[in-house]
Every structure is written in structure tokens, then in C-alpha cells.
Amino acid sequence: MGESVATVKHSCETRCRGHTDHSSTMITTYLDLTADTLRVMAVGVVGYGHLGQYLVERIQKEGHSLGLRLAFVWNRNPQKLRASVPEELILDQLSHFPEKNADLIVEVCHPQVVKDFGAEFLSHAHLLVGSPSALSDLQLNKQLRQTAQHHGKTLYVPSGALWGSQDIQRLSDSGTLTNLFIRMSKHPSCFRLTGGGPKDWTEGEGRRVLFKGSVADLCPLAPNNVNTMAAAAIAADSLGFSGVMGEIVSDTALKEYHIVEVEVTGANGFSVTSVRRNPAQLGAVTGSATYASFWSSLLACKGQRAGVCLC
């Protein structure tokens, strides 16, 4: 319980001493029931790229009214934080994060950070993993799930640009999901592939398939570009990373948005196809609509249960 809740509760109980025991009990019970609403959740943000900056700014501006406060902000280059983040909230060494007592840690940096610190994060706080492509590593996936269960924490996976994630999850849980295919098409300048993006493209060349295969094989190739597919693999747990198929397409015509196509196939001839156009600037890894989606995911992190939760 936050200090403000304790103060309010003490003040009300003091004023009630002259009333009946019944009245005092009712007021005390009411305060206990509303404690969760008034409790402030301390949020640590790991990464200060475009998405990290967006989240930090919104917490600073709106956090008070939403029951959120910044616990810390970490970036590989801490100097980037000096102009916009209070000095006492800047975390110079990521390994010192336990000192900040965050309730929720939001990773928006790189899959390697999830591999290096994910289990340690979950031993102290809930974790919203913004680089779920890291979970394509089956050993790491298993380790993080076990750590979350052991410490009673939640490993949150944001839906991001994935449309219909809850429906996919329900099909998977019911055992009626048979196939899931996702195609992501972007301007070539928007890809960040291992070893560099497509380098031999020219304006006007049109459409080129860069990869088609399992999401398990695709995630290491394009870890920063296929988090939507990784979220789909988490939703489609019955298929997993090896069973969900993905394709990334370079298209020079896509100068104003990314396209995400999802094809879901279920039992008895059931199928759904969705096409999402996500506005994005040239060179942007993340579409603009994904920022608001991620913020909604953060607000949904309420420590629902130990284990993995798609949000």
C-alpha cells in the first residue's frame, strides 16, 4: 500500500473512533477494498529509443492520475537521458536495478537484454517484454516461464501490431487452431536484419520476399522487426515458434505505412484473414499506431497471475 493510502486510512479511522464499531468496520473495509485502486505502481523503463521515450514521457505526464510513477530509466548511453529524465531516476548500471524497487520493468531495448537480464528482472518484478523475439530461444523461454512461476511474477507479452491476438489465443487454447501465417511488408529502409538490412535495393524495384519460413528461424534474422510475429507465436501456444509461419517482404512502394497480414486457419474449414496498415515514416522500425498499443499493454499490467500473459 502506498503512503497516501496509509495516511488516508489512518486519518479516517481516527475520525471514526467516536462512532459505533459497525461504522468503523464499514469504513475500514471500504478503504481496504480500494487500496488496490489507490496503490501507485513503480515502473522501470529499460531502453530509451523512440518507444522508450514515448513511454517515459507519458508516465511523467499522465502517471499520477493513472497510479503510475517512474522507478528508473536505463539506456546504453546514459547521457541521452540527462536532458529529459531527473538525475535520481537515471540508472547508470542495469545490474543495480533491484535498488530502485520497481513493481514492473518494461524492456524496450533489444532481445539481448532479455537474454542477459530477463530472469533476474522476474525475480524482483513483473516484466513487460518489448522484444518478445527473444522468446524464440526455447531454453530462455522455458527459463523465464519457470522464474515467473517460482517468484509469483507475470511475464507480459504485448500484442503490438498483432490484430486479433486474443482470438488466436482462444483458438489455440481450445485445440482448434491448425495454422497461423503472418506476412509483414515494409519499405526496405525499415528493416534491421542481423548483419544489416537489405543493401542492394533501389527505389522503384517494388516487392521482394526477404524470408519465408518458421518464426523460430525468422526471429534471429530480424529480431527488431518481427516482434509482432513473436507475439503471435506466444498467442498460438499450441503451434509455438516452430509451428507459426512468417514472411517478411521489402516493398519500395510502402513509404507511408507497414502492412501486417494475418491468416488464421482452424478446424472444420474455419479461417480468418486480416490486413492492418500501420502508418510509419521511412526508416521507422515501429509503426506509429504500435506506440499507443504498447501504452495500452502497459496499463493492462496489473499482476494478473504468475506465468505468461498476453496483453
Side-chain angles (χ1 to χ4, degrees):
M1 181 182 294
E3 181 181 350
S4 59
V5 177
T7 302
V8 170
K9 185 173 180 180
H10 174 73
S11 175
C12 287
E13 288 178 337
T14 299
R15 289 197 297 270
C16 288
R17 283 173 184 164
H19 298 276
T20 66
D21 291 341
H22 177 68
S23 298
S24 298
T25 300
M26 288 179 62
I27 293 175
T28 301
T29 301
Y30 171 77
L31 288 167
D32 288 338
L33 290 173
T34 57
D36 285 338
T37 303
L38 297 174
R39 183 182 290 114
V40 175
M41 182 169 67
V43 180
V45 178
V46 178
Y48 201 66
H50 294 300
L51 181 54
Q53 291 178 42
Y54 172 84
L55 296 175
V56 169
E57 289 174 5
R58 290 205 66 168
I59 294 172
Q60 288 176 319
K61 292 178 181 178
E62 305 171 38
H64 180 73
S65 62
L66 296 171
L68 303 174
R69 69 172 178 84
L70 276 176
F72 68 84
V73 184
W74 176 87
N75 192 57
R76 283 195 180 93
N77 177 11
Q79 294 304 318
K80 186 179 179 181
L81 306 174
R82 305 293 178 192
S84 53
V85 178
E87 188 67 30
E88 66 271 15
L89 296 179
I90 297 175
L91 186 64
D92 289 316
Q93 298 293 328
L94 189 52
S95 59
H96 295 169
F97 79 89
E99 300 172 5
K100 297 297 185 176
N101 298 314
D103 299 306
L104 172 71
I105 295 175
V106 181
E107 177 277 318
V108 282
C109 186
H110 191 275
Q112 190 61 47
V113 172
V114 181
K115 294 179 180 180
D116 293 343
F117 287 93
E120 192 174 354
F121 287 158
L122 282 167
S123 66
H124 293 82
H126 302 296
L127 173 61
L128 175 59
V129 57
S131 303
S133 60
L135 301 179
S136 64
D137 181 328
L138 296 182
Q139 184 175 353
L140 176 66
N141 192 321
K142 181 179 179 181
Q143 179 191 24
L144 296 186
R145 288 172 183 265
Q146 290 178 338
T147 303
Q149 287 285 352
H150 179 73
H151 291 279
K153 303 300 183 183
T154 307
L155 173 61
Y156 291 101
V157 178
S159 299
L162 178 64
W163 194 257
S165 59
Q166 302 296 333
D167 297 298
I168 293 171
Q169 189 172 44
R170 279 191 287 268
L171 275 178
S172 177
D173 291 345
S174 68
T176 58
L177 178 65
T178 57
N179 291 288
L180 179 58
F181 172 76
I182 304 172
R183 177 185 296 112
M184 299 186 70
S185 303
K186 304 180 181 184
H187 189 274
S189 65
C190 298
F191 283 103
R192 302 290 186 272
L193 307 183
T194 303
K199 300 176 182 178
D200 57 345
W201 63 274
T202 57
E203 284 293 355
E205 74 173 21
R207 190 174 181 277
R208 189 202 313 184
V209 176
L210 301 178
F211 177 91
K212 185 174 183 178
S214 75
V215 173
D217 292 332
L218 180 51
C219 283
L221 173 66
N224 295 311
N225 288 112
V226 296
N227 287 313
T228 295
M229 296 187 187
I234 296 296
D237 190 53
S238 60
L239 300 177
F241 282 85
S242 296
V244 176
M245 297 294 108
E247 177 179 299
I248 53 175
V249 177
S250 166
D251 190 341
T252 54
L254 300 180
K255 298 181 179 180
E256 298 180 350
Y257 51 83
H258 302 161
I259 297 179
V260 181
E261 300 168 79
V262 180
E263 299 175 10
V264 182
T265 306
N268 303 316
F270 174 85
S271 66
V272 175
T273 300
S274 67
V275 180
R276 170 174 173 155
R277 289 175 174 81
N278 193 358
Q281 297 179 349
L282 285 175
V285 173
T286 304
S288 58
T290 304
Y291 289 79
S293 174
F294 201 100
W295 174 250
S296 296
S297 294
L298 191 159
L299 295 180
C301 296
K302 303 296 183 182
Q304 282 85 345
R305 56 185 171 82
V308 179
C309 180
L310 193 67
C311 59

